[in-house]
Amino acid sequence: MTVKKTLDKLNQTWTWTCAIALVALLLLPDAALAESVVSQGEFVANNVWMMLCTGLVFIMHLGFAMLESGMTRSKNTVNILFKNTFILTAGVLCYALVGFNLMYPGEWNGVLGFAGFGLEALATADNTAAYADGGYSYYTDFLFQAMFAATAATIVSGAVAERIRLPSFMLFATLFVGLVYPVAGSWKWGGGFLDALGFYDFAGSTLVHSVGGWAALVAVLLLGPRLGKYTKERMMPIPGSSMPLATLGVFLLWLGWFGFNGGSVLSADPALTSYTLVTTTIAAAAGASAAMASSWGLAGKPDLSMSLNGILAGLVGITAGADTVSLSGALLIGLVSGVLVVASVLLFDRIRLDDPVGAIPVHLVCGIWGTLAVGLFSQNPEHRFLTQLLGVVCYGVASAGLAFAILLPLKWTLGLRVSEAEELEGLDLAEHGSHAYDFGAQRAAPAGQP
Amino acid sequence: MTVKKTLDKLNQTWTWTCAIALVALLLLPDAALAESVVSQGEFVANNVWMMLCTGLVFIMHLGFAMLESGMTRSKNTVNILFKNTFILTAGVLCYALVGFNLMYPGEWNGVLGFAGFGLEALATADNTAAYADGGYSYYTDFLFQAMFAATAATIVSGAVAERIRLPSFMLFATLFVGLVYPVAGSWKWGGGFLDALGFYDFAGSTLVHSVGGWAALVAVLLLGPRLGKYTKERMMPIPGSSMPLATLGVFLLWLGWFGFNGGSVLSADPALTSYTLVTTTIAAAAGASAAMASSWGLAGKPDLSMSLNGILAGLVGITAGADTVSLSGALLIGLVSGVLVVASVLLFDRIRLDDPVGAIPVHLVCGIWGTLAVGLFSQNPEHRFLTQLLGVVCYGVASAGLAFAILLPLKWTLGLRVSEAEELEGLDLAEHGSHAYDFGAQRAAPAGQP
Amino acid sequence: MTVKKTLDKLNQTWTWTCAIALVALLLLPDAALAESVVSQGEFVANNVWMMLCTGLVFIMHLGFAMLESGMTRSKNTVNILFKNTFILTAGVLCYALVGFNLMYPGEWNGVLGFAGFGLEALATADNTAAYADGGYSYYTDFLFQAMFAATAATIVSGAVAERIRLPSFMLFATLFVGLVYPVAGSWKWGGGFLDALGFYDFAGSTLVHSVGGWAALVAVLLLGPRLGKYTKERMMPIPGSSMPLATLGVFLLWLGWFGFNGGSVLSADPALTSYTLVTTTIAAAAGASAAMASSWGLAGKPDLSMSLNGILAGLVGITAGADTVSLSGALLIGLVSGVLVVASVLLFDRIRLDDPVGAIPVHLVCGIWGTLAVGLFSQNPEHRFLTQLLGVVCYGVASAGLAFAILLPLKWTLGLRVSEAEELEGLDLAEHGSHAYDFGAQRAAPAGQP
């Protein structure tokens, strides 16, 4: 009987050992993620999504370049493309060297902090461990944020097109991407004082779009309108050089926005990311429809560029609350954005604010609206209208003030505006000694074609 | 001995508790997926793929806009871009409000069903649980399908370009995307009567492309050819305004097709998705090669636009069976599609069917061919030629009939076609009061340049 | 008591059964991956990343087509677009039929091997199992490599633009993609003799870019410069037809490079992929900055096309060591690439090597530099400068030699160059009987606009 018992015991122990070994085997691949709440497979999938979104935000820079080129005159196209190339490339370098560590300074006073200087600070980071609860790796985080950073200055580029001096713009853009955007951004996304107060801005209606929009407004006020845009009596429309390019730009921006908003979930959480893409799409479609209808009603003709700006308006509007407003909230935010962009384009022309691509109506007006709309339509009761308003005001004061503090000395020293002769000749020849298009002699239409 | 036994018992219970706790820990993240067969990591990865494919299908709308703009005259470009912007934005809204719940009605009679109205029906869905065996979330499903929906109307847009009245087209497109496409789609993808009969259409050679193609054919018959396209004696070619735009459009369409077909796997299953991308690519390449060779042989010159249409022909052809035909089947389907598109472009010109971008040869002819080809080349013995033919006929009757039922009353009331003066002036000025391009005065070529 | 014991036994057995069933359930989805080191979720996520990267490399073909069209004259645009369409479609087919099995021949002598012929060899592969340690499926691997293959010939296309005979180019490109590239590639990536010697080329600075670049150099030497490019006294710049197209192309190429380099990790490993994307971005931005600064310094004007080529130069330069150099190494590689591209564009013009898009400076010069830079900046001590130099020389001899061996007989038989009359008229009319653009009569600028 003791033998039997010992055998039983052995048998039992053996079975236990097997069971525990099996369980351990299952746990093994997740050992490195012990501190995290997700499996390795989920971590990899999250990171794939975040890298995809990084690529999509990259596409937005191409979108802006095409939109601005299409909406302005062909004599300034090289200049616009050069500025967009500069902003992206210099912006990424500035953000790597300074910006990222200003924006996410870690332990600090909530207003200004700095985690370290240069590529060394980036290089010492631990990229092998899962970061942010397994949402992405450290370098994915950096690159995603770097792609965001340059967009703020790009917004300004459109508003000041066709008359700003290139070196002045380059200096401004560098300081804006390297210092202003990251410090302002740290107040909310870096865990600063506005975050502590409960201000909410999911993907940057305020932190990116209105920050760029305020700077655009200040720059346009300092620059004045393009020659010939306003006569004593009335506004003279200056048509863009290529509507296919403008359309290409807006569609690419919409595509990029899937990454801008979808990536702001900071993981590939299926429920949150897909919900965010749906609100983003509904708002964009609603913005276009409202802008199409209202401009058609006002002008009596269907207007392509207003419709395109309606898409962008809806996208900027939904950005602050894409994860938290209801579907009908998204629809309403988009519809109001579409009406707002048409109304403010007309208003700004009346008060003689010359903004060639409509950057201020789109990014500033709808950025403010979208941020406030979180206070109205959010399904999270902690989001309050007055806190949202406070955030809007803080960012307005800071962004407009700092833009002014950079641009005014530039106006006094380098000068902000090209000479009248250069503006008439076009910046392409005047500043770059080249031109954007050369189609040779126009061919006659084939015989018999109407 | 009783003490020993009690201790043994306690010890045993403790060990059991540990084991069960470990197992429970492992199961925890998958608790929400209890009914599903995939892990959370796999679910997240599946959903990332499906969101990526949604973005890729979105790109197809940009591709269509660029292709149509490039293939038509510059005096109608704004009109084309406006139509494409409208179809996408209005199409998404219609599909959200009505279409999705018409297409996937759940319990119904297999011919017509409706799961509910408006955004509320979407908003009450459970988006947090894994959906469709963990392939994607509910909202990912909706958005992927919404991006598909608008393509059917876009196909029509190209065929009727340069002469259709804008308001009539807008009404038609809205009804087509909101009602015709989803009801027809429900017969197969919603689990309706054609699905029950064993008809197979993997990603929409018939459900999307030929449905759009039949409507395009009806519209072209009702509209008639563009002024000056056919004289008594012969056909006058009307060259497009920009071949780079057309090429851009076709390459973007090919890219988007990776999502169109790859996403139709409805999960990121590595074997099926990658196989689908390979058949898709082989058919596109084969279509281009065959169209290139046959048009070169017939006309004696290498023809870019035929080659581009050959790519699209191969893509439409493979769409019905991309997951199920063999690799040599894919090659053959593509080659035949490439020949078919060249032959039918020539044929349609002979019978004076004026289709500015070749939408009917590409989407209708190759859509039918691809659907029948499933009956010839499928590796699944359940796919039969006659069932495929039955499906083709059902969709042809329904789509052509319903398109006729929408367009004829429009012809009688609003009118389908612009006036002769407007057509000669161009729709951009006539309907929109604007133009697409403005390159200023052409610069002289630099001295010394040939 | 026996009853009690039996009940205990039963109870215990039941509990065991449950525990084992639970464990089995957990193990089940991973059963197919028993031989692999990753979970099913990780495998799916890896494969999604690799399919995404495949799509991104596909986009590079569009990027090349747009860049080349924009950088050359409008009278040759159809020809360029046709060549790019041909290379991609014929290249994919050649690679499927021959190239893939030449490049990855399995057991062989390390110099030349062949795993099998035609689609059959592809079709018999086991696509259901996880491949390459769960990094991707078999067909994902094939398609990713196929997209790479065609790029090598595309590089040549830009350098020989505006004067090469179409049939000769088509024959050359087919042989180059189908035979030269895969055999040369097998020496390193297929595990051949250079791999055994320790040569390192992460994503193809040498295997793709310099292989294409050497062939471009040989072709340009055999072809001679475009008519009118060099007079007795000096070089006449021939401006491109559309800088927006060129910019579009370069931005698309940068985007595509995220897949080119990011996919060369051959899995979605979060640390490695994200690190690779960061070095890629830093080098591209640094290349643009250095090219911008050095060309501005030399010419006194900010030069858009040099800046764009600077982006490409940085990208080509980082490609060999994107996973292994430090961040400051990436910065330095990019900066040097940017200077090199400007210097070699000037140098090649001085020695009258006419390369319309700067393909040789970008792909050959920076490809060599990037490969050697691995020997200087790699964090892996096994990478040595002399081994890298050996690889550069081997690929130079092979690629230039084989390109010569293909092109010289073509020159003797079909002829490499179009006639003088055809070149002056433009290849579009001469070879294709069509033209790329038709904007109708230029509209007068609206009254009152400057």
Side-chain angles (χ1 to χ4, degrees):
Chain A
M1 200 172 167
T2 342
V3 176
K4 178 72 168 49
K5 244 188 183 163
T6 314
L7 279 174
D8 268 9
K9 199 82 189 174
L10 271 173
N11 183 37
Q12 198 171 327
T13 313
W14 171 242
T15 327
W16 268 111
T17 313
C18 291
I20 289 167
L22 278 169
V23 167
L25 203 74
L26 279 166
L27 287 173
L28 211 66
D30 294 312
L33 287 169
E35 80 283 8
S36 157
V37 292
V38 302
S39 70
Q40 179 71 13
E42 206 176 338
F43 170 44
V44 175
N46 281 338
N47 195 62
V48 166
W49 172 246
M50 293 304 296
M51 293 193 296
L52 165 57
C53 290
T54 302
L56 289 170
V57 180
F58 173 85
I59 292 177
M60 294 177 72
H61 294 282
L62 175 57
F64 278 120
M66 296 296 109
L67 171 61
E68 292 175 26
S69 300
M71 290 283 206
T72 53
R73 286 167 294 181
S74 59
K75 66 181 177 181
N76 300 311
T77 305
V78 168
N79 185 255
I80 281 165
L81 297 169
F82 187 89
K83 284 195 297 182
N84 279 278
T85 304
F86 173 78
I87 292 171
L88 174 60
T89 54
V92 164
L93 291 181
C94 287
Y95 199 75
L97 295 171
V98 182
F100 187 59
N101 286 309
L102 272 172
M103 192 149 168
Y104 300 96
E107 303 276 328
W108 57 306
N109 64 8
V111 178
L112 193 65
F114 193 34
F117 203 68
L119 289 178
E120 293 316 303
L122 280 184
T124 52
D126 180 11
N127 189 46
T128 55
Y131 189 68
D133 293 330
Y136 38 75
S137 73
Y138 177 80
Y139 283 124
T140 303
D141 183 35
F142 160 70
L143 203 60
F144 182 69
Q145 300 300 340
M147 291 301 165
F148 257 67
T151 53
T154 302
I155 290 164
V156 183
S157 158
V160 300
E162 309 203 278
R163 59 208 191 280
I164 201 166
R165 281 205 65 203
L166 184 62
S168 299
F169 180 79
M170 289 168 75
L171 264 170
F172 164 77
T174 306
L175 292 169
F176 204 74
V177 175
L179 301 177
V180 177
Y181 168 79
V183 170
S186 75
W187 298 344
K188 165 62 190 158
W189 291 343
F193 76 95
L194 279 167
D195 192 50
L197 289 172
F199 173 67
Y200 193 72
D201 186 0
F202 172 61
S205 284
T206 283
L207 270 78
V208 179
H209 295 282
S210 87
V211 160
W214 285 112
L217 179 63
V218 169
V220 164
L221 287 170
L222 288 172
L223 270 175
R226 289 169 292 172
L227 292 176
K229 170 80 183 181
Y230 303 108
T231 64
K232 258 181 210 155
E233 300 82 25
R234 59 193 199 91
M235 187 271 291
M236 312 297 299
I238 300 182
S241 51
S242 171
M243 292 314 291
L245 272 193
T247 308
L248 172 64
V250 169
F251 276 59
L252 289 178
L253 281 163
W254 185 345
L255 176 69
W257 233 285
F258 288 146
F260 200 84
N261 286 359
S264 292
V265 170
L266 303 181
S267 84
D269 181 284
L272 265 177
T273 46
S274 62
Y275 187 75
T276 297
L277 297 193
V278 170
T279 54
T280 300
T281 303
I282 286 178
S289 303
M292 214 175 259
S294 55
S295 64
W296 201 334
L298 286 169
K301 300 218 173 217
D303 190 316
L304 175 60
S305 68
M306 283 293 190
S307 308
L308 295 174
N309 268 334
I311 290 177
L312 298 181
L315 289 167
V316 170
I318 196 63
T319 293
D323 64 330
T324 191
V325 300
S326 66
L327 294 185
S328 6
L331 185 73
L332 215 64
I333 289 173
L335 290 172
V336 172
S337 298
V339 173
L340 275 178
V341 80
V342 172
S344 45
V345 163
L346 296 176
L347 172 73
F348 289 163
D349 255 341
R350 187 147 309 172
I351 60 175
R352 308 202 157 202
L353 266 176
D354 183 20
D355 174 357
V357 304
I360 304 171
V362 165
H363 298 280
L364 179 57
V365 174
C366 294
I368 292 173
W369 155 243
T371 309
L372 298 178
V374 171
L376 302 173
F377 300 112
S378 172
Q379 296 176 315
N380 181 341
E382 288 179 20
H383 300 151
R384 290 164 204 285
F385 186 82
L386 287 178
T387 322
Q388 296 302 103
L389 185 61
L390 175 71
V392 165
V393 171
C394 288
Y395 277 102
V397 170
S399 176
L402 290 169
F404 192 75
I406 297 172
L407 289 168
L408 199 64
L410 283 174
K411 187 171 182 168
W412 289 336
T413 53
L414 287 175
L416 275 189
R417 188 153 179 160
V418 298
S419 74
E420 198 165 308
E422 287 171 324
E423 191 175 338
L424 289 173
E425 184 183 26
L427 305 191
D428 289 3
L429 268 174
E431 299 219 14
H432 302 270
S434 65
H435 47 80
Y437 294 103
D438 193 337
F439 293 120
Q442 281 297 314
R443 289 151 197 98
Q449 183 191 328
Chain B
M1 198 172 169
T2 340
V3 177
K4 178 71 168 50
K5 243 187 183 165
T6 315
L7 280 173
D8 268 9
K9 199 82 190 175
L10 272 173
N11 183 36
Q12 197 172 327
T13 312
W14 171 242
T15 328
W16 267 112
T17 313
C18 289
I20 288 167
L22 277 168
V23 167
L25 202 74
L26 278 166
L27 286 175
L28 209 66
D30 294 312
L33 287 169
E35 80 283 9
S36 157
V37 293
V38 302
S39 69
Q40 179 71 12
E42 206 175 336
F43 171 43
V44 175
N46 282 337
N47 194 63
V48 167
W49 173 246
M50 292 304 296
M51 295 193 295
L52 166 57
C53 290
T54 302
L56 289 170
V57 181
F58 173 85
I59 291 177
M60 293 176 71
H61 294 283
L62 175 57
F64 277 120
M66 296 296 109
L67 171 61
E68 292 175 26
S69 300
M71 290 283 205
T72 52
R73 287 166 294 180
S74 58
K75 66 181 178 182
N76 300 311
T77 305
V78 167
N79 184 256
I80 280 165
L81 297 169
F82 187 89
K83 283 194 297 182
N84 279 279
T85 304
F86 173 78
I87 292 171
L88 174 60
T89 55
V92 164
L93 292 181
C94 288
Y95 199 74
L97 295 172
V98 182
F100 187 58
N101 286 309
L102 271 173
M103 192 150 168
Y104 300 96
E107 303 276 329
W108 57 308
N109 64 9
V111 178
L112 192 66
F114 193 33
F117 203 69
L119 289 178
E120 292 316 303
L122 281 183
T124 52
D126 180 11
N127 189 47
T128 55
Y131 189 68
D133 294 330
Y136 39 75
S137 73
Y138 178 80
Y139 283 124
T140 303
D141 183 35
F142 159 70
L143 203 59
F144 182 68
Q145 300 300 340
M147 290 302 165
F148 257 68
T151 53
T154 303
I155 290 164
V156 183
S157 158
V160 300
E162 309 203 278
R163 59 207 190 281
I164 202 166
R165 279 206 66 205
L166 184 61
S168 298
F169 180 78
M170 290 167 75
L171 264 169
F172 163 76
T174 306
L175 292 170
F176 204 72
V177 176
L179 301 177
V180 177
Y181 168 79
V183 170
S186 73
W187 298 344
K188 165 63 188 158
W189 291 342
F193 76 95
L194 279 167
D195 192 51
L197 288 173
F199 173 68
Y200 193 72
D201 186 1
F202 172 61
S205 285
T206 283
L207 270 77
V208 180
H209 295 282
S210 86
V211 161
W214 284 112
L217 179 63
V218 169
V220 164
L221 287 170
L222 288 172
L223 271 173
R226 291 169 291 173
L227 291 176
K229 170 79 185 184
Y230 303 107
T231 64
K232 259 180 209 156
E233 300 82 25
R234 58 194 199 91
M235 187 272 292
M236 311 296 300
I238 300 182
S241 51
S242 171
M243 292 315 291
L245 273 192
T247 307
L248 172 64
V250 170
F251 276 59
L252 289 178
L253 280 163
W254 186 345
L255 176 69
W257 234 286
F258 290 146
F260 200 85
N261 286 0
S264 291
V265 171
L266 303 181
S267 84
D269 180 284
L272 264 177
T273 46
S274 61
Y275 186 74
T276 298
L277 296 192
V278 170
T279 54
T280 301
T281 303
I282 286 178
S289 302
M292 213 175 258
S294 55
S295 64
W296 201 333
L298 286 170
K301 299 218 174 217
D303 190 316
L304 175 60
S305 69
M306 284 293 190
S307 308
L308 295 174
N309 268 334
I311 290 176
L312 298 181
L315 290 167
V316 170
I318 195 64
T319 293
D323 63 331
T324 191
V325 301
S326 66
L327 294 185
S328 5
L331 185 72
L332 215 63
I333 289 173
L335 290 173
V336 173
S337 298
V339 173
L340 275 178
V341 81
V342 172
S344 44
V345 163
L346 296 176
L347 172 72
F348 289 162
D349 256 341
R350 186 147 308 174
I351 60 174
R352 309 204 158 201
L353 267 176
D354 183 21
D355 174 357
V357 304
I360 304 171
V362 165
H363 297 280
L364 179 57
V365 175
C366 295
I368 292 174
W369 155 243
T371 309
L372 298 178
V374 171
L376 303 174
F377 301 112
S378 173
Q379 298 176 314
N380 182 340
E382 288 179 21
H383 300 153
R384 289 164 204 285
F385 186 82
L386 286 178
T387 322
Q388 297 301 104
L389 185 61
L390 176 70
V392 165
V393 171
C394 288
Y395 277 102
V397 170
S399 177
L402 291 168
F404 192 75
I406 298 172
L407 288 168
L408 199 64
L410 284 173
K411 186 169 184 172
W412 290 337
T413 52
L414 287 175
L416 275 189
R417 188 155 178 159
V418 298
S419 74
E420 197 165 310
E422 286 170 324
E423 190 175 338
L424 289 173
E425 185 183 24
L427 304 192
D428 289 3
L429 269 173
E431 299 218 14
H432 303 269
S434 65
H435 46 80
Y437 295 103
D438 193 338
F439 294 120
Q442 282 297 315
R443 290 151 196 98
Q449 184 190 326
Chain C
M1 198 170 169
T2 341
V3 176
K4 178 74 168 48
K5 243 186 180 165
T6 314
L7 279 174
D8 269 10
K9 200 79 187 176
L10 271 173
N11 183 36
Q12 198 172 328
T13 312
W14 172 243
T15 328
W16 269 111
T17 313
C18 289
I20 288 166
L22 278 168
V23 167
L25 202 74
L26 279 165
L27 287 174
L28 211 66
D30 294 312
L33 287 168
E35 79 284 8
S36 156
V37 293
V38 300
S39 70
Q40 179 71 11
E42 206 175 338
F43 171 44
V44 175
N46 281 338
N47 194 62
V48 166
W49 172 247
M50 293 304 297
M51 293 192 296
L52 165 57
C53 290
T54 302
L56 289 170
V57 180
F58 173 85
I59 292 177
M60 293 177 72
H61 294 282
L62 175 56
F64 278 119
M66 296 296 110
L67 171 61
E68 292 175 26
S69 299
M71 290 282 205
T72 53
R73 287 165 295 181
S74 58
K75 65 182 177 180
N76 300 312
T77 305
V78 168
N79 184 256
I80 281 166
L81 297 169
F82 187 89
K83 283 194 298 181
N84 279 278
T85 304
F86 173 78
I87 292 171
L88 174 59
T89 55
V92 164
L93 292 181
C94 287
Y95 198 75
L97 295 172
V98 182
F100 187 59
N101 286 310
L102 272 173
M103 191 149 167
Y104 300 96
E107 303 276 329
W108 56 307
N109 64 8
V111 178
L112 191 66
F114 192 35
F117 203 68
L119 289 178
E120 292 316 302
L122 281 183
T124 52
D126 180 11
N127 189 46
T128 55
Y131 189 68
D133 293 331
Y136 39 75
S137 73
Y138 178 80
Y139 283 124
T140 303
D141 183 36
F142 160 70
L143 203 59
F144 182 68
Q145 300 300 340
M147 291 301 165
F148 257 68
T151 52
T154 303
I155 290 165
V156 183
S157 158
V160 300
E162 309 202 279
R163 59 207 189 281
I164 202 167
R165 280 205 66 204
L166 184 62
S168 298
F169 179 79
M170 289 167 74
L171 264 170
F172 164 76
T174 307
L175 292 170
F176 204 73
V177 176
L179 301 176
V180 177
Y181 168 80
V183 170
S186 73
W187 298 344
K188 164 64 189 157
W189 291 343
F193 76 95
L194 280 167
D195 192 51
L197 289 173
F199 174 68
Y200 193 70
D201 186 0
F202 173 60
S205 285
T206 283
L207 270 77
V208 179
H209 295 283
S210 86
V211 161
W214 284 112
L217 179 63
V218 169
V220 165
L221 287 170
L222 288 173
L223 270 173
R226 290 169 290 172
L227 292 175
K229 170 80 184 182
Y230 303 106
T231 65
K232 257 180 211 156
E233 298 84 23
R234 59 195 198 91
M235 187 272 291
M236 311 297 300
I238 300 182
S241 51
S242 171
M243 292 315 290
L245 272 193
T247 308
L248 172 64
V250 170
F251 276 59
L252 289 178
L253 280 164
W254 185 345
L255 176 69
W257 233 287
F258 289 145
F260 200 85
N261 286 0
S264 291
V265 170
L266 303 181
S267 84
D269 179 285
L272 264 177
T273 46
S274 62
Y275 187 75
T276 298
L277 297 192
V278 169
T279 54
T280 301
T281 303
I282 287 178
S289 303
M292 213 175 259
S294 54
S295 64
W296 201 332
L298 286 170
K301 300 218 172 217
D303 190 316
L304 174 60
S305 69
M306 283 294 191
S307 308
L308 294 174
N309 268 334
I311 290 176
L312 298 181
L315 289 167
V316 171
I318 196 64
T319 292
D323 63 331
T324 191
V325 301
S326 65
L327 295 185
S328 7
L331 185 73
L332 215 64
I333 288 173
L335 291 172
V336 172
S337 298
V339 173
L340 276 177
V341 81
V342 172
S344 44
V345 163
L346 296 177
L347 172 73
F348 289 162
D349 256 340
R350 186 146 309 173
I351 60 175
R352 308 204 157 200
L353 267 177
D354 183 19
D355 175 357
V357 304
I360 304 171
V362 165
H363 298 281
L364 179 57
V365 174
C366 295
I368 292 174
W369 155 242
T371 309
L372 298 179
V374 171
L376 303 173
F377 300 111
S378 172
Q379 296 175 318
N380 181 340
E382 289 178 20
H383 300 152
R384 290 164 204 286
F385 186 82
L386 286 178
T387 323
Q388 296 301 103
L389 185 61
L390 175 70
V392 165
V393 171
C394 288
Y395 277 103
V397 170
S399 177
L402 290 169
F404 193 74
I406 298 172
L407 289 167
L408 199 64
L410 284 174
K411 187 169 182 170
W412 290 335
T413 53
L414 286 175
L416 275 189
R417 190 155 176 157
V418 297
S419 73
E420 197 165 311
E422 287 171 323
E423 190 175 341
L424 289 173
E425 184 183 25
L427 306 192
D428 289 3
L429 269 174
E431 299 219 13
H432 302 270
S434 65
H435 47 78
Y437 295 103
D438 193 337
F439 295 120
Q442 282 295 315
R443 288 147 197 102
Q449 185 191 326

